[in-house]
Each structure stands twice: as C-alpha cells, then as structure tokens.
Amino acid sequence: MQAQWPVWPRGSENGRKVLADTLFSGRWTLSGPWAGRRSNEQEFAAQWAEYNGAAHCVPTANGTSALTIAMEALDVGYGDEVIVPGLTWVASASAVLNLNAVPVLVDIDPATLCIDPAAVESAITPRTKAIVVVHLYCSMADMDAILDIGQRHGIPVIEDSAQAHGARWRGAAAGTLGRIGTFSMQETKLLTAGEGGAAITDDPELFDRMFQLHADGRRQAQQPLAVDQMELVEKSSVMGNNYCLSEFGAGVLIDQLALLEDEHRLREENAQRLTKALDAIPGVSRVQIPDAVTRPTYYHYAVRYDPAAFAGKPLQDVIRALTAELGFPVNRCYPALQAHPLYQPHTKRRYRLGDAHVVAVDPRRFELPNARRAHDEVFTFHHRLLLAGTADIDSVAEAISKVARSAHEIETS
Ligand SMILES: *Cc1c(COP(=O)(O)O)cnc(C)c1O
C-alpha cells in the first residue's frame, strides 16, 4: 500500500488566529499608517534576525527581491559582473540580469552540487562586483574557500540561502557568513507564507540601504508614533522600489517560524534513517554534505544514481518508475542554467543593452560540464516526504531497491 504523504504547506490553528487578528487590525502593510502596535513585518524581521544570529533583517515580497536589494545595496549595476553557480533555480541569475549586470555562470563541485571555489576564482575579472553562492539541495557551498577568495580579491559574497533556512556552517547560520544572506519564503521552501523573502546582514549601512531599497526609498520613523501617522518617512539616500511583504504574509511567517525547529528535527531524523537505508542499496547514495555543515537542512533530499545498477536506464525513466512506485513525485535535479528552459535572456528586449552585453549574457558561452552531468545523475525528493512517519520513510528505500531489481522491465521513453 502506498503511503499517505504529508501535505505542504501546513496551516496551524495559531496561524488562523494570526490571520484573523491581522484582518481586523486596521493595518495590512508596513507602508500603511501606524495602528497602535508593532507591524507583523517588523516583528518577523526581529525574529528572523534573532533566529539566525544576524544584527538586521529586511523582509521582502519574495526571494528574488531579497537578492535584488542585496545586490543593489552593494551597488551592482550596468557593466558589472556577478558570479553565480550554473546549477540553481533561475532567480539567482535572472535577478542579476534585471540589474543590467552580467551573470557569470560557473561550474559546481560534482560531489556537493554547490558552486566550485576554484571555478569562482578563475572567473574573477576587474568587473566582478559580487559573488552569489547558493546553498543547494541538502548541502552548502564551501564557505571557508569562498570567503577566503572574496577577501583576497575584495569582492563581497552574497549567500542565496533560499533553500537552506537554519542550515549551519561550523555553527554559523547560512546567510550570516557572507556580507548579506537572502531567503525565499515561496510555498515549496522550508519556511513559507506562500510568497515572501528576507535579506539579513550585520552591516548597519547595508541594512539602511536595503530597507530603503525595499520600501520605495522610505526609512522607518525613529520617534514614537501617533495612531494614523505614517511609519515610513520620505527621507531617502537611495532610490528604491516596492518589495514590501504584506502584513498577512509576515503574520504567517511568524506563525510558521515557531514550528520550524520541530520540523527541522523531524526531517533530520528521517533523512538520517533514509541515508542509512540507501547505504545498503548498490548504485544509489545521498549527495555529499561536507563535515563543515554542522547542521544540514533538507529542502530537496538529493540522491545520486549509477545507471549500471538500474539496467543502464536513463534517469528520467527511473524517476517515472519510482514516482509510480511511491505515489510521490520524484524529480531530476535542475538543468544547468546554460540549458535551462526558463533562462532565456535573449527573449527580453530590456536586456538588449548593446551588442557586447547581448553576447555577455548569453548562457551558452559558459562551460558547465559538472552541472550538466548532475542533471543526468541526481534525483530529488521535496522535504515534505521527510515529514512522514518512519514506516513510510522505510518504504522509500524499499521502492528504490525494487525499481533497481526490476529495472530491466522499465520502458524507455
Ligand atoms: C526559490 C529560490 C529563489 C527565488 O525565490 P522567490 O521567492 O521564488 O522569488 C532564489 N534562489 C533560489 C536558490 C531559490 O530556490
């Protein structure tokens, strides 16, 4: 019998109360007038900064806008290059394009699927303005090596931690090792309000800039407010856009954050159980997590497969069989950005900023052999699978084993 897999996202009774409370609070956004109490947005900002051990947090409408204000705060713009891994969700690179800068795609470390520090170093030019690392799948980018490169070349590092809420590198939270860390709270992510995001930093000047960049240039009023007075004041040092999170989204995040540690613990226990079971099956292994990751989190649990153990069947066929066996969607890891169907800079007229720019943003100019190979060798499970009971977790390894044994029967697409 197939398991009844947990649903994601998961509502809570407290979440229902928070939403109703916000609905009748007289305040639905940070940019509205003061309604007699701290906004959900500012409450979530304080809680998310504290959770990560960061000094400051700017909540945003989504993860893409968090990356946007992070790069704009570091003055990324036209003529600049930003180094981005060639294996990531498209937003890590498309946010760079939107600033009229050039994403320089570099290859990954095939063992961890995260950006390869040696590839970062060889991609640096006098135009490199920032390095964006992405903590992907259950792993983390090699922050020791990346921070050292950033320091030696005087280039700031941004950690796109959209898939790594609460992960830790030598005890420090993902997003606190670089100059700025960004998060997505889109529905599939480990902490979510459907849409949402955040940028964290210890630097008060970057915080001041990011705050203005996310609120049309407005800053927060310093003096105590009277009811109906605007909390955001028009005293600006940098032009912004509106990337504010609504009070509803912020309220849901406050509720969900209270549940996050218990969910992390459950996913961690189940991931360890699954990894142990996979160790006993020839031809499959969990993607490597470096020892420096003192606390992994599991957005996508990633498994490397050896076709030889599956009668030489290609990954997409094995995945189809596995999905049918489990009644749970199994996915390939991302295509390399160079070949990603959603990464098509040439289709957007706003990126045609001259012949040299058009050539520079063409992803086909990059060689990303490790990222390309990963798409044929790695399959993933969304983290809601890891919220299941132990018997269902055991059924995952059994299903993989069964598909391997009967692989010669899988039809090739
Ligand atoms: C989800 C995600 C983003 C973008 O976040 P949105 O909230 O969808 O804008 C950026 N980077 C990575 C690695 C992501 O997984």
Side-chain angles (χ1 to χ4, degrees):
M1 210 180 67
Q2 279 181 344
Q4 283 292 316
W5 299 105
V7 295
W8 187 267
R10 311 200 283 195
S12 75
E13 279 312 310
N14 181 59
R16 191 198 300 275
K17 259 182 46 210
V18 170
L19 282 173
D21 193 40
T22 304
L23 188 62
F24 295 101
S25 68
R27 186 143 191 217
W28 291 356
T29 172
L30 178 70
S31 56
W34 180 254
R37 66 178 197 198
R38 190 182 213 189
S39 67
N40 290 344
E41 211 238 29
Q42 287 307 286
E43 179 59 30
F44 175 70
Q47 289 190 16
W48 188 238
E50 192 194 333
Y51 176 87
N52 290 293
H56 307 283
C57 170
V58 179
T60 55
N62 52 51
T64 309
S65 44
L67 273 169
T68 302
I69 63 169
M71 289 189 283
E72 281 202 283
L74 293 165
D75 200 34
V76 171
Y78 178 67
D80 295 332
E81 294 175 352
V82 176
I83 293 176
V84 177
L87 187 80
T88 178
W89 178 239
V90 284
S92 313
S94 54
V96 178
L97 290 174
N98 270 356
L99 296 174
N100 295 341
V102 173
V104 172
L105 308 181
V106 306
D107 211 356
I108 53 161
D109 175 340
T112 64
L113 304 182
C114 291
I115 197 165
D116 174 6
V120 169
E121 186 138 35
S122 38
I124 290 174
T125 76
R127 292 182 161 196
T128 308
K129 197 68 175 257
I131 299 166
V132 172
V133 302
V134 183
H135 303 307
L136 211 62
Y137 299 112
C138 352
S139 200
M140 283 181 81
D142 180 346
M143 291 309 291
D144 299 349
I146 298 284
L147 292 174
D148 176 59
I149 292 166
Q151 203 150 43
R152 278 190 284 110
H153 294 269
I155 300 170
V157 175
I158 297 171
E159 293 175 82
D160 179 347
S161 309
Q163 308 190 1
H165 308 71
R168 285 177 182 268
W169 180 269
R170 302 193 194 286
T176 63
L177 294 129
R179 292 287 298 284
I180 300 172
T182 67
F183 298 87
S184 164
M185 280 69 158
Q186 182 269 345
E187 179 172 295
T188 60
K189 305 291 161 77
L190 293 161
L191 174 68
T192 182
E195 298 285 353
I200 59 174
T201 186
D202 282 337
D203 182 327
E205 276 173 39
L206 287 176
F207 168 67
D208 180 46
R209 286 172 67 87
M210 290 200 292
F211 190 96
Q212 295 175 66
L213 286 162
H214 102 298
D216 276 334
R218 289 166 292 190
R219 286 177 160 128
Q220 209 158 16
Q222 292 305 320
Q223 77 285 6
L225 290 161
V227 169
D228 282 346
Q229 219 180 337
M230 297 308 284
E231 185 169 358
L232 299 183
V233 293
E234 300 183 7
K235 278 192 203 150
S236 145
S237 68
V238 54
M239 184 171 164
N241 296 97
N242 179 12
Y243 299 128
C244 289
L245 182 63
S246 88
E247 285 296 279
F248 297 103
V252 172
L253 288 177
I254 291 167
D255 170 59
Q256 294 284 308
L257 180 53
L259 309 170
L260 184 62
E261 278 305 297
D262 281 346
E263 290 167 347
H264 273 339
R265 271 189 287 276
L266 179 56
R267 282 186 289 248
E268 170 76 22
E269 271 172 39
N270 280 331
Q272 282 179 8
R273 190 178 178 94
L274 179 55
T275 304
K276 201 160 159 238
L278 293 187
D279 285 345
I281 305 173
V284 287
S285 56
R286 195 202 61 202
V287 164
Q288 194 183 315
I289 302 176
D291 289 341
V293 180
T294 44
R295 207 277 190 102
T297 50
Y298 298 90
Y299 173 57
H300 285 137
Y301 183 97
V303 181
R304 191 181 300 281
Y305 103 117
D306 175 2
F310 290 80
K313 301 286 169 160
L315 186 56
Q316 73 259 25
D317 298 325
V318 171
I319 280 177
R320 199 170 7 86
L322 205 48
T323 298
E325 186 64 34
L326 279 172
F328 187 91
V330 183
N331 294 301
R332 301 171 80 157
C333 88
Y334 297 127
L337 277 182
Q338 180 196 55
H340 200 298
L342 303 181
Y343 191 67
Q344 309 252 10
H346 66 277
T347 63
K348 238 169 146 73
R349 199 160 73 83
R350 76 201 281 194
Y351 302 149
R352 284 182 221 149
L353 298 166
D355 293 345
H357 191 78
V358 169
V359 172
V361 300
D362 185 343
R364 290 168 306 180
R365 76 182 172 98
F366 301 103
E367 298 273 346
L368 307 168
N370 296 335
R372 294 176 77 104
R373 202 169 322 115
H375 186 55
D376 293 325
E377 290 179 352
V378 177
F379 61 87
T380 69
F381 301 104
H382 182 255
H383 65 85
R384 78 182 166 93
L385 179 119
L386 297 173
L387 297 170
T390 48
D392 292 338
I393 295 299
D394 293 343
S395 78
V396 177
E398 284 155 22
I400 293 173
S401 195
K402 184 172 166 194
V403 168
R405 279 197 313 274
S406 55
H408 54 280
E409 292 166 16
I410 299 174
E411 277 183 44
T412 304
S413 52

